Amino acid sequence: HTWGVLIALAFMVVNFLVTREMEKTKQMNADTVLEAGMVAIFSGLLGARIAFVIEYWSLFRDNPIEIIMIQHGGLVLYGGLILGLLVLMGWAKIRRVNLLKLLDAAAPATLLSIGIGRIGCFLNGCCYGQATTHPWGVHFPGIPGTVHQTQLYEFVGASLLCIVAYLCKSHL
């Protein structure tokens, strides 16, 4: 449940930051930003599930009803980014929205949202790294020994990229 809360928080952060940016520059109103966000989040969740099913098809081959049982877990970030972007491109064309300006405004916030989502992965005990004997390794229930907390590594990386993207954007 923590992961879902943090994904919702990430969506709210992105929506707030992109709305603020687009209204400040008078490029888009809050309703259009929210609509774009809803399109991106729902298509992104669908793409994330499709990518998981493809990657782990052996789990679904004998029990295809499990494909729609998203409450059992199973999403792949990159599938969500790909389908979310493709659907957002179609939406922008239909709504005659300048997609490049929207993506430019959303880039730093989207990087931050990826980091927020990875904190959810850490708290959920999923998406961990390889076994390690380093003192910063963590132990998750049901996993023997300690592992790299790749979720927190990715949070730090995404946060740093967010800062770099924001600084680059503000200097253009």
Side-chain angles (χ1 to χ4, degrees):
H1 298 292
T2 307
W3 182 86
V5 169
L6 285 166
I7 292 301
L9 174 65
F11 171 74
M12 290 187 290
V13 167
V14 170
N15 188 63
F16 172 77
L17 293 174
V18 175
T19 299
R20 190 177 74 173
E21 173 74 18
M22 296 303 269
E23 285 187 330
K24 180 175 74 175
T25 59
K26 300 189 185 334
Q27 295 177 358
M28 195 177 295
N29 66 39
D31 289 340
T32 306
V33 172
L34 180 60
E35 185 180 331
M38 298 302 282
V39 165
I41 193 84
F42 288 117
S43 60
L45 287 171
L46 178 62
R49 183 59 174 184
I50 290 169
F52 182 83
V53 170
I54 290 169
E55 187 171 341
Y56 297 100
W57 177 244
S58 62
L59 300 174
F60 301 97
R61 180 182 16 231
D62 297 330
N63 194 7
I65 192 70
E66 281 293 317
I67 291 171
I68 61 170
M69 301 296 179
I70 198 162
Q71 71 272 21
H72 296 161
L75 301 170
V76 173
L77 171 66
Y78 305 106
L81 291 174
I82 291 167
L83 188 61
L85 182 58
L86 290 173
V87 172
L88 195 59
M89 289 169 61
W91 172 85
K93 186 171 183 80
I94 291 167
R95 296 278 280 131
R96 294 189 171 103
V97 168
N98 187 327
L99 180 66
L100 293 179
K101 288 187 181 195
L102 178 62
L103 293 177
D104 188 44
T110 301
L111 289 164
L112 181 59
S113 75
I114 290 169
I116 293 170
R118 288 307 184 200
I119 291 173
C121 291
F122 178 76
L123 295 173
N124 200 37
C126 64
C127 308
Y128 49 84
Q130 293 183 343
T132 183
T133 56
H134 294 333
W136 56 82
V138 295
H139 175 74
F140 290 109
I143 306 298
T146 58
V147 294
H148 282 284
Q149 66 275 17
T150 55
Q151 318 93 323
L152 298 183
Y153 301 162
E154 192 165 355
F155 166 75
V156 170
S159 298
L160 291 173
L161 286 173
C162 170
I163 292 166
V164 169
Y166 180 77
L167 292 174
C168 288
K169 188 173 164 5
S170 65
H171 284 62
L172 295 176

